[in-house]
Amino acid sequence: MPARRLALLCLASCAPAVPDGPSAPVPEDSSPHAAAAAAVPDGRSNIPVPEDSPAAPPAPKASLAPLRLLHANVRTYAPLADGGLLVTPGPTWVEQGGDLVPEGDTSLQRLDPATGALTPWSQEWSPAAAGWRLRRGSDVTELGPEVSDDGRLVALGHAFELRGGPPGERNELVAIVVSRSDGSEPRCVGVGVPSDDPPPFYWSRDSRRLIGDWSLACSPDARARPVSLSDADPGEWPGRMRWQDLVDGRGGELPYHWVWEGRDPLGDRVVADFSGPDGSGLEIFDLATGATLTQLVDPPAEELRSGRWVAADAVLIDVTRARDREYISQRLVYTDGRSVAITGPRWQIYTRLPDGQLLMSRDGGVSVEQGRVDWTRLHTLQARPRPELARFTSDRQLPAQWQPGLGGVLIHEPDEGTLYLAAI
């Protein structure tokens, strides 16, 4: 099955309201567009983790070195409530007969950031135990994982092939299963039907709700046939995504969204490419409500790209030439549709931090600074250099990923697989 990187999803309707960022100057142009989608309770209660589950211990606090290598080769990573990380180690490539062959254990592991020690991690759930009849000789493949923001819950996809069906077809399904952070008490939330990619699923920022593409019940009927959760065709597009509150058991539906990148690292909003009847460009939507907050159509012969969040309500975007994507200028776009031209040097935003600071560059990515910016005046209020982080800004096939976590910022280099923890 094709592999892909899953991102987290956030539902702000079940989290405390996030205050808007700085007020904007009078914009040069605007193009607001809004659409809301109502959540539809389905009346079912399917709570993967009991409501009276004891709270997980807080992550230990310790002073951090400016930059520390946590592991030399991981493909996925996510902080856990106990201060560890749930990781998928990358393979070791060995030449055999002129070909490179992957070796090594690439199953899920718990990484101790203090010692670098790895211990096996598993979520003991079986589709056969749920009543599914598996194709003989087929394996169950784990997809994900997605860890809740509080580190207490882990969602994992279990892909399996059904017995029967036309010869040559995989007849595959993916069960989405949630457990505690140590893999205990696994419960199925629903079963999805993969297309070219596995069905996506994401956590809300408040760690209560899971939202994803599941359309079938967790168990088949008496004749081992899938049971649909609605009258809609599971393969119909565009479809709807389901959400379920893991605390009170409520559920509903939202518009379908893939989240490849562009999600606010601290909030519920996503900036992404879109294409519609009036053209293509960038849109900002709220994954909590399914509402499209604004859409900006590409200007003639230009493209709007590379949105990076600078505040809860503001994204910095690049304007490039359409024919060769050569950089032209930048704009600051607000979630209410206001758009302001940026003058001066080219900014790079690597991530925004919980205390309102940014890891950023004001010289096109040559250096890295940590500081605050008054975007109403384009004025840096305070900044300090972070020269040890400049190594992660150089041009590469896959850019480094920056994500607040473990009391600092986790920086992952997808090409090499290296994972670092930087102090903030």
Side-chain angles (χ1 to χ4, degrees):
M1 170 176 296
R4 73 174 196 85
R5 194 171 64 241
L6 297 178
L8 300 178
L9 176 67
C10 184
L11 297 176
S13 57
C14 53
V18 178
D20 282 342
S23 59
V26 178
E28 293 182 359
D29 62 341
S30 62
S31 48
H33 177 83
V40 183
D42 57 12
R44 296 179 296 110
S45 178
N46 183 15
I47 308 174
V49 175
E51 193 168 352
D52 58 354
S53 297
K61 295 183 178 179
S63 59
L64 297 177
L67 183 66
R68 183 159 59 94
L69 176 66
L70 299 182
H71 199 278
N73 188 9
V74 297
R75 293 184 297 175
T76 67
Y77 60 96
L80 298 172
D82 63 1
L85 287 160
L86 185 61
V87 302
T88 307
T92 300
W93 296 93
V94 179
E95 184 175 354
Q96 294 183 4
D99 296 326
L100 291 177
V101 178
E103 292 185 352
D105 185 1
T106 57
S107 61
L108 287 170
Q109 309 272 328
R110 182 194 177 276
L111 171 65
D112 185 335
T115 66
L118 293 171
T119 54
W121 188 97
S122 63
Q123 192 184 68
E124 299 298 332
W125 184 88
S126 166
W132 297 101
R133 297 176 184 174
L134 307 188
R135 178 169 291 176
R136 183 172 300 175
S138 64
D139 296 323
V140 178
T141 304
E142 294 180 343
L143 306 173
E146 295 291 345
V147 179
S148 60
D149 272 30
D150 63 7
R152 296 182 57 205
L153 302 176
V154 178
L156 194 62
H158 295 253
F160 57 94
E161 296 180 50
L162 291 180
R163 185 186 306 175
E169 293 190 8
R170 298 184 64 178
N171 203 19
E172 190 176 44
L173 298 177
V174 177
I176 301 171
V177 179
V178 174
S179 68
R180 294 181 184 271
S181 60
D182 61 0
S184 64
E185 299 185 27
R187 303 280 185 92
C188 175
V189 176
V191 174
V193 181
S195 54
D196 291 338
D197 292 285
F201 49 94
Y202 317 97
W203 280 107
S204 62
R205 285 292 187 206
D206 66 357
S207 303
R208 288 180 56 124
R209 299 185 184 187
L210 190 70
I211 182 168
D213 181 9
W214 64 84
S215 56
L216 304 175
C218 288
S219 298
D221 64 15
R223 299 177 62 182
R225 296 175 303 187
V227 177
S228 177
L229 297 176
S230 69
D231 296 332
D233 180 359
E236 184 179 353
W237 184 263
R240 305 279 287 178
M241 299 186 79
R242 291 179 175 269
W243 62 266
Q244 181 146 14
D245 191 307
L246 283 261
V247 175
D248 60 23
R250 293 183 304 122
E253 294 183 349
L254 291 172
Y256 203 108
H257 283 298
W258 286 97
V259 183
W260 298 98
E261 56 185 359
R263 181 176 178 228
D264 181 359
L266 303 175
D268 307 320
R269 294 160 178 175
V270 177
V271 57
D273 297 338
F274 88 98
S275 181
D278 298 327
S280 59
L282 285 182
E283 69 175 352
I284 299 175
F285 57 87
D286 190 326
L287 288 167
T289 63
T292 298
L293 303 179
T294 189
Q295 290 184 338
L296 288 88
V297 177
D298 290 337
E302 296 178 350
E303 291 183 345
L304 307 177
R305 294 293 179 267
S306 304
R308 303 293 292 179
W309 291 91
V310 299
D313 67 341
V315 177
L316 184 69
I317 63 172
D318 287 348
V319 182
T320 63
R321 283 197 314 229
R323 68 174 183 269
D324 56 10
R325 296 197 172 179
E326 184 74 17
Y327 172 78
I328 299 175
S329 63
Q330 291 182 306
R331 302 192 70 82
L332 191 63
V333 177
Y334 289 82
T335 54
D336 62 4
R338 294 172 290 171
S339 174
V340 182
I342 300 294
T343 59
R346 184 180 184 182
W347 294 73
Q348 296 281 3
I349 306 298
Y350 302 110
T351 189
R352 73 185 191 99
L353 304 173
D355 61 357
Q357 295 190 85
L358 299 167
L359 285 176
M360 61 188 180
S361 167
R362 290 179 285 172
D363 53 17
V366 176
S367 64
V368 177
E369 296 177 294
Q370 179 177 334
R372 304 176 190 275
V373 178
D374 180 353
W375 292 101
T376 63
R377 296 185 296 146
L378 296 180
H379 174 65
T380 302
L381 300 177
Q382 61 183 44
R384 62 185 177 94
R386 298 296 304 270
E388 74 279 7
L389 304 184
R391 56 180 294 185
F392 302 110
T393 67
S394 59
D395 291 336
R396 59 188 71 198
Q397 184 176 0
L398 295 174
Q401 301 166 5
W402 307 57
Q403 178 68 42
L406 292 186
V409 173
L410 294 164
I411 305 177
H412 184 237
E413 298 178 291
D415 287 334
E416 298 86 357
T418 49
L419 179 64
Y420 291 84
L421 178 61
I424 56 175

